[in-house]
Amino acid sequence: MPPIPDLVATALVFVLAGFVKGVIGLGLPTIAIGLLVLVMAPAQAAAVLILPSLATNAWQLAGPGLVPLLRRLWPMMVAIVAGTLGAGTIGAGWLAGDGRLAIGGLGAALAAYGLLGLSGARFSVPARLEPWLSPAVGAATGAITGATGVFVVPAVPYLQALGLGRDALVQALGLSFTVSTVALAASLAGQGAFRLPEAGMSLLALAPALAGMALGRRIRGRIGQRAFRLCFFLGLLALGGHLLLQARS
């Protein structure tokens, strides 16, 4: 049984992460991993993330538009799995081995995502480039997932650039996150980093994550999305910078 302070800290982290996801539709793994590595090893943090991430993203994935999305995005999904598992000797090795490399990589990923969000940059992917870009983006996302446990970069900016409708975009994000979570779980299990204690903490984190998400969805309309996203991306930038400094020390 993990120490009570660890359980309380983990629960609070997932309430916050679930709240962010409930308000803006993403951010649970980013917030959870970024904060958990302040109190536990990166591999353990990534393992604890598995069940809350899988449950919330599977819910986000469900819907009648799933089959068309699978037909369009399957090369990206296959590449995510291949990239994550292929990172087993490098990226996942960082995650399950020397934590400084994983923390540094995570800090860089969070800072890059924060800067991208703050820039307000908007991209558009021509349809003719999609067959080439989808596998490349998927492989890059998988490699970063294997190395840091965070699977938002570059998948989220790419999916936002495809010109999907609002509901289709939310569902596409759920699809990408679900595939990434399953691939990360397989990678961690192969490294011996997803064991019974981590699985137990992951199960315990499920209820706080869902509670936070329900709270975020309830007050979504009461908080200005623009102001909240600004604070969110500033927070990611600050957290990423802190982790980069921590990795160097």
Side-chain angles (χ1 to χ4, degrees):
M1 182 74 177
I4 297 299
D6 287 355
L7 292 176
V8 172
T10 299
L12 291 176
V13 165
F14 276 98
V15 169
L16 174 61
F19 171 79
V20 171
K21 185 176 180 65
V23 174
I24 64 174
L26 53 93
L28 186 145
T30 313
I31 292 291
I33 290 284
L35 292 177
L36 288 176
V37 296
L38 299 176
V39 296
M40 63 180 66
Q44 186 182 11
V48 172
L49 166 73
I50 295 299
L51 292 180
S53 178
L54 187 60
T56 55
N57 290 320
W59 168 79
Q60 187 172 328
L61 163 67
L66 178 58
V67 172
L69 280 176
L70 282 172
R71 288 174 180 164
R72 182 174 182 178
L73 297 176
W74 71 264
M76 180 181 172
M77 301 303 112
V78 171
I80 286 175
V81 174
T84 305
L85 298 180
T89 57
I90 301 176
W94 294 353
L95 212 52
D98 182 3
R100 290 179 62 189
L101 287 173
I103 289 172
L106 174 59
L110 294 184
Y113 187 40
L115 285 172
L116 185 63
L118 290 172
S119 73
R122 294 291 182 268
F123 305 98
S124 179
V125 175
R128 68 180 186 280
L129 296 182
E130 223 179 299
W132 303 93
L133 283 178
S134 285
V137 169
T141 300
I144 293 172
T145 298
T148 69
V150 171
F151 33 79
V152 295
V153 181
V156 170
Y158 175 74
L159 290 173
Q160 290 173 331
L162 292 182
L164 299 168
R166 183 184 63 180
D167 292 342
L169 175 59
V170 169
Q171 196 169 18
L173 290 171
L175 173 61
S176 177
F177 295 161
T178 299
V179 170
S180 294
T181 302
V182 173
L184 178 62
S187 181
L188 289 170
Q191 294 289 316
F194 190 45
R195 299 161 298 182
L196 188 59
E198 287 80 11
M201 285 193 70
S202 187
L203 182 61
L204 291 174
L206 183 57
L210 292 173
M213 188 172 178
L215 177 62
R217 286 171 57 85
R218 175 171 293 185
I219 68 172
R220 178 185 295 174
R222 303 180 185 179
I223 300 178
Q225 286 272 5
R226 193 169 184 178
F228 187 88
R229 288 178 67 88
L230 176 62
C231 293
F232 173 65
F233 287 120
L234 281 173
L236 289 186
L237 181 58
L239 182 58
H242 173 75
L243 292 178
L244 283 170
L245 291 175
Q246 182 179 333
R248 294 183 61 185
S249 62

